Amino acid sequence: MAVDEELDQIFREALGGLPGVSEKRMMGATCFLVNGHMVGGAMREKNGLRRFLFRVGKANRAEAEAIGHGQIMEMGGRKMSGLYFVDADDCPPEVFTAWKSLALFNAFSLPPKE
């Protein structure tokens, strides 16, 4: 995975002004955190596929599936429940906002990390 500055900027602007926001390079991409908890990230695959990643938490699966446009992240054939990929080129602003809101709800529901 590689960094995609255009997608990173979309995430930065979407989280701008929120308290406790930070960025961290993880999994070969830029991830965005609130109070130390991952909200999501943006990446470009070697094949050119551009994707957003959202951490919505296992408990929010039904809400995530209701938004649509996402698929559960898989690593090494293992499903990572609570983490969803969304194709950035098929993600209208209202869909991005819905995913971001659910991921923020999850992050703010957790105690801040020290």
Side-chain angles (χ1 to χ4, degrees), residues 26-90:
M26 296 169 52
M27 301 178 284
T30 305
C31 290
F32 297 85
L33 301 91
V34 172
N35 296 330
H37 297 285
M38 187 170 79
V39 172
M43 61 201 65
R44 182 177 22 87
E45 301 287 336
K46 290 179 183 177
N47 64 7
L49 178 65
R50 296 162 12 113
R51 302 196 288 186
F52 292 115
L53 171 65
F54 294 95
R55 180 181 180 217
V56 299
K58 295 176 187 179
N60 297 314
R61 182 176 183 163
E63 291 87 346
E65 303 221 346
I67 296 170
H69 291 262
Q71 71 180 70
I72 294 176
M73 178 182 175
E74 285 190 40
M75 288 186 75
R78 181 174 169 241
K79 292 188 182 222
M80 310 297 288
S81 55
L83 294 165
Y84 287 81
F85 281 125
V86 176
D87 181 345
D89 296 321
D90 185 29

